[in-house]
């Protein structure tokens, strides 16, 4: 897997946009960027993924830089329930070696304040 | 549309006993992944199974741990002769496609070894 680097923690005010950065400077051309989150004591939850283009779904937006060395997950209107650990993952799939093995780092602890 | 189901949600065992953790994937998913989260640590991949086949068990401890996903019924993670260090949250995930990184997680089983 490409190594990813995320800030240890971030704060956000309720109702504001939360912008979570991730560096993945060693990512290769065919490796996607995935975002998951884990709310306390729950199982991880898939959020979004992308390769080159920006992506948006009902949960979040993913902005990937043109050189693909970094990306930002955007929660447009954060709520208290978005408080969680957010994981940025770039699984290696060259030659099919990933086989779905997700490698979770330490992630970013996002705390949304009232 | 039921999500991934795991049972039991909590399991208490004494040292030396056996623990059996069950996972029913999402409807239509035939790929199952098991992850372990030790206290205050990140999620670690253990094993990836398809129906009746183990695809990747590179994260499984060499002894006492085994996993299966029979043709009928749930996937089972079995831990023999449990020790205190096995106390952790065990999460199961499933996917629609082979070796997919878009995985849907269950609520986990919390194993406590006394």
């Amino acid at each position: 897997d490409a190594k990813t680097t995320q800030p240890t923690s971030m704060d956000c005010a309720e109702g504001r946009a939360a912008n979570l950065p991730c560096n993945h400077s060693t990512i290769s051309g065919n490796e996607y960027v995935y975002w998951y989150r884990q709310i306390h004591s729950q199982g991880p939850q898939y959020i979004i993924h992308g390769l080159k283009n920006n992506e948006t779904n009902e949960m979040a937006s993913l902005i990937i830089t043109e050189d693909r060395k970094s990306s930002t997950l955007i929660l447009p209107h954060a709520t208290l329930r978005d408080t969680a650990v957010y994981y940025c993952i770039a699984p290696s799939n060259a030659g099919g070696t990933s086989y779905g093995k997700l490698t979770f780092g330490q992630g970013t602890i996002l705390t949304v304040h009232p | 549309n039921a999500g991934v189901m795991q049972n039991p949600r909590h399991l208490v065992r004494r040292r030396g006993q056996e623990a059996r953790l069950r996972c029913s994937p999402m409807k239509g998913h035939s790929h199952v992944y098991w992850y372990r989260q030790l206290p205050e640590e990140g999620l670690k991949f253990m094993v990836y199974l398809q129906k009746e086949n183990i695809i990747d068990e590179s994260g499984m401890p060499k002894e006492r741990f085994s996993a299966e996903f029979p043709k009928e019924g749930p996937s089972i993670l079995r831990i023999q002769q449990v020790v205190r260090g096995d106390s952790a949250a065990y999460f199961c995930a499933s996917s629609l496609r082979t070796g997919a990184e878009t995985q849907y997680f269950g609520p986990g089983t919390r194993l406590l070894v006394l």
Side-chain angles (χ1 to χ4, degrees), chain B residues 13 17 24-25 27 40 82 95 113:
Chain B
R13 285 287 179 266
Q17 292 184 319
S24 297
K27 187 176 182 180
E40 307 304 323
V82 295
S95 71
V113 180

Side-chain angles (χ1 to χ4, degrees), chain B residues 15-34:
Chain B
R15 282 177 296 170
Q17 292 184 319
E18 179 179 286
R20 281 184 180 239
L21 287 62
R22 286 176 291 278
C23 169
S24 297
M26 285 183 69
K27 187 176 182 180
H29 288 193
S30 58
H31 306 273
V32 165
Y33 314 80
W34 285 93

Side-chain angles (χ1 to χ4, degrees), chain A residues 36 38 41 44 98 100-101, chain B residues 35 37 58 99 101 103 105 110:
Chain A
Y36 282 79
Q38 187 175 25
S41 296
S98 170
K101 182 193 299 184
Chain B
Y35 293 80
Q37 189 167 33
S58 59
E101 289 85 11
Q103 298 175 13
F105 283 78
R110 271 88 183 155

Side-chain angles (χ1 to χ4, degrees), chain A residues 34 36 38 40-46 49 87 91-93 97-106, chain B residues 9 33 35 37 42-45 48 55-56 58 91 98-108 110:
Chain A
Y34 282 77
Y36 282 79
Q38 187 175 25
H40 182 62
S41 296
Q42 298 183 20
Q45 178 185 24
Y46 164 79
H49 73 281
Y87 299 98
S92 171
N93 60 13
T97 58
S98 170
Y99 274 129
K101 182 193 299 184
L102 296 175
T103 301
F104 290 84
Q106 294 305 306
Chain B
R9 295 290 303 277
Y33 314 80
Y35 293 80
Q37 189 167 33
L43 288 140
K44 303 288 186 207
F45 168 84
Y48 162 35
I55 306 303
D56 181 354
S58 59
F91 293 98
T98 301
E101 289 85 11
T102 303
Q103 298 175 13
Y104 298 89
F105 283 78
R110 271 88 183 155

Side-chain angles (χ1 to χ4, degrees), chain B residues 81-102:
Chain B
Q81 299 175 319
V82 295
V83 301
R84 288 212 173 114
D86 297 332
S87 295
Y90 292 82
F91 293 98
C92 166
S94 73
S95 71
L96 183 62
R97 296 196 192 88
T98 301
E101 289 85 11
T102 303

